[in-house]
Amino acid sequence: MGADVRSALTTLGAAVIAALVLLPLMWMVSVSFMAPGEAAQFPPPLVPAAPTLANYRALFDSYGVGRYLANSAFVSATATGLALLFVVPAGYAFAKLRFRGRDAVFQTLVAALVIPGQIGMLPLFLELKALGLVNSYAGVLVPWLAGIFGIFLVRQYALSIPTEMLEAARVDGASEGQILTRIVLPALQPIIVTLALFVFLGSWNDFLWPLIVLSDDRLYTLPVALAALSRERVQDVELMMAGSVVTTLPVLILFLVLQRFYMRGLLAGSVKG
């Protein structure tokens, strides 16, 4: 079999897999433009007979999805900013600064990655309840302050920064803060974007923790609000698909815009020792 034939078969296989992956997403978008009850027909139609925006108007006008969209945007943006504020310096410190117990602490953190996050939800909830942070965005944001995976990711990438360059800056009289802001952060740009994307997508799509912490429906994030709406409008498939599009579209656009930095950060961080 020639190289051209193998290349053509590989391309064809990739196209088939891509089509299978994209088909549910495309059908979701198509159903969101259908009239009420149209998707319940058998066999289900693939395209709307008469495309309409009625489902999207109902979401924003009747069900207040705009508020929940703003809530999710606020929570995700704040979680991303706080994560970068704490995780990036921590990852750099574990990579390039020497202090007592550094390796032992880092190994303990890495070992904790195998523990499912759901195990810690109950004790964390009880702590937040004692602090009066339940039913507040502060409680929702706490798990994102210092993610272990983010620290590991930044640390692995920061290992590529030449130690000699940092030492030269110290000899020239630069403070640790100046080294961090003027040398380290520019060098860490790809992994910072990757980490920001991880945190934003994770906090945007997070359902379980906001559901546990928030009891006021005015504070609901978009996934929680749509889950509550689906219990009331379980038969309105078209309306739920429109809600799914509203939830998916912002993060999909964000991922596509930042995909280049995301892949570069992941590939570079994966080969550092």
Side-chain angles (χ1 to χ4, degrees), residues 126-172:
L126 295 177
E127 290 180 7
L128 295 178
K129 183 178 180 181
L131 294 172
L133 297 180
V134 172
N135 196 32
S136 70
Y137 287 143
V140 176
L141 293 170
V142 165
W144 300 102
L145 294 181
I148 299 175
F149 179 73
I151 295 175
F152 172 79
L153 203 63
V154 174
R155 186 256 184 189
Q156 295 301 101
Y157 195 93
L159 290 173
S160 65
I161 300 175
T163 303
E164 295 79 7
M165 182 170 60
L166 303 179
E167 293 297 337
R170 294 188 180 100
V171 171
D172 290 339

